Amino acid sequence: MSSRRIGRRLIVALTAAGLLGLAGGSAADASTAASAARASAPARVQATQELVVLLSEHSAHKAPDTSSARVAVVSQVRPITGEQTTLPVLARSIRAGGAIWLQVMLPGRPDGLTGWISESGTRAAVTPWRITLNLHARRVTVYNDGSVVRVFEAVVGKPSTPTPTGEFFVEEVVQMQTGEPGGPFALALSARSNALQEFEGGPGQIALHGRDNLGGTLGQAESHGCVRLGTAAIDWLAARIGGGTPVTITGG
C-alpha cells in the first residue's frame, strides 16, 4: 500500500474522531530532553516484553478456554498498513492435553482490554523497547533493554479532550505522505479517546505522531487527545519502534 493511501487512511481514522485538529504554536522540534528530565523518569523498567504475532484471525476469550465468553475477534493484520498484528503477552496457561493459551493485550474499546487466545496460529517475538508518557510533565520517555535512551517533549490532550491514561501498545507504524497532517510518521496506539467515542464512523484512536500541518507548542496541552512530537523525535521513533511495543500513559 502506498504511503499516500496509508496516510489518508490514518487521517480519516483520526480526523473523523476529532483527534487531529489544527492548532497554532511554535514549529521548533524537540531534541533529546535535558538531564533533569531524564532524572524525573524511572532509571529502569522491565527489560523486554514478550510478544505474539498473529498468523491467522483469533478469538479472544475471557478465560483460557473456548467455552468461556468471547471478548473480541482479532484480525491477523492491522487495518491501516496491513502489517501482521502483534500483541503484548501478559501470561500463559497450559490446559489439559497440552494446549497453550496466551493472555494478551487487545486493541480497541474499552481501553485496557485483555483476553486469552490460543497459541496455535501464532509466532513468538520479543521487544526491548518500551515507551512511557507522563501527561503532567508532557514528556515521552523511551526505554531500550530497561534503560532510558531518549526523552522527548510532547503536545498532549487539552482538558476537554484529554489523552487517556493506562497500559497500551503500538498497533502499527504509519508513514504519512509528505505534507499530510500529523506527518511524517504516526505510531497508532491501542488506546481510544474517552472524550470522543466516535465521529463520522471514526474509532477515536490515539496516536503518537508528528506536527506537519498541525503545529502545537511542545510541552503544552493543546491536542484533541493524540500526542504530537517534533519531527526529529517521531522520525527517531519510527525507525526503531514496531508493533506490540508497550506504551504506558500516566497522569503525572
Side-chain angles (χ1 to χ4, degrees):
M1 184 182 295
S2 70
S3 62
R4 178 180 294 274
R5 185 177 176 190
I6 291 171
R8 284 179 176 171
R9 288 185 64 181
L10 182 68
I11 293 304
V12 168
L14 300 184
T15 304
L19 297 182
L20 289 180
L22 294 178
S26 170
D29 291 331
S31 61
T32 301
S35 58
R38 289 179 180 274
S40 68
R44 290 191 64 83
V45 298
Q46 179 179 323
T48 60
Q49 173 64 53
E50 182 183 358
L51 306 175
V52 64
V53 181
L54 302 192
L55 305 179
S56 60
E57 180 180 273
H58 274 64
S59 291
H61 294 264
K62 188 174 181 179
D65 193 303
T66 54
S67 63
S68 70
R70 187 169 66 182
V71 297
V73 175
V74 189
S75 171
Q76 72 180 91
V77 298
R78 292 296 81 211
I80 301 171
T81 62
E83 297 173 358
Q84 284 184 287
T85 297
T86 303
L87 307 173
V89 176
L90 303 176
R92 60 179 59 239
S93 176
I94 302 177
R95 311 303 290 173
I100 299 175
W101 285 73
L102 306 173
Q103 186 185 31
V104 295
M105 298 176 68
L106 298 170
R109 299 185 190 278
D111 281 345
L113 183 66
T114 66
W116 289 87
I117 64 171
S118 170
E119 186 187 53
S120 177
T122 70
R123 173 172 57 83
V126 68
T127 180
W129 295 99
R130 185 176 296 270
I131 298 171
T132 66
L133 167 62
N134 184 303
L135 296 176
H136 178 71
R138 294 158 192 169
R139 293 188 186 280
V140 171
T141 302
V142 186
Y143 297 82
N144 182 271
D145 200 26
S147 298
V148 176
V149 291
R150 288 291 190 277
V151 181
F152 300 114
E153 200 168 24
V155 181
V156 301
K158 57 189 176 183
S160 60
T161 52
T163 303
T165 60
E167 299 292 334
F168 308 108
F169 63 93
V170 176
E171 285 193 43
E172 51 193 327
V173 179
V174 183
Q175 181 176 3
M176 314 291 282
Q177 183 70 15
T178 301
E180 287 185 312
F185 293 97
L187 276 58
L189 304 184
S190 61
R192 302 295 187 264
S193 171
N194 294 318
L196 300 167
Q197 297 297 308
E198 62 178 354
F199 185 78
E200 296 183 357
Q205 185 171 13
I206 300 298
L208 277 67
H209 58 70
R211 295 185 297 158
D212 287 0
N213 291 329
L214 289 175
T217 304
L218 295 171
Q220 299 300 311
E222 301 176 349
S223 82
H224 287 78
C226 282
V227 180
R228 303 176 192 169
L229 296 168
T231 299
I234 197 65
D235 282 351
W236 189 92
L237 286 168
R240 295 163 175 81
I241 300 301
T245 300
V247 178
T248 300
I249 304 177
T250 62

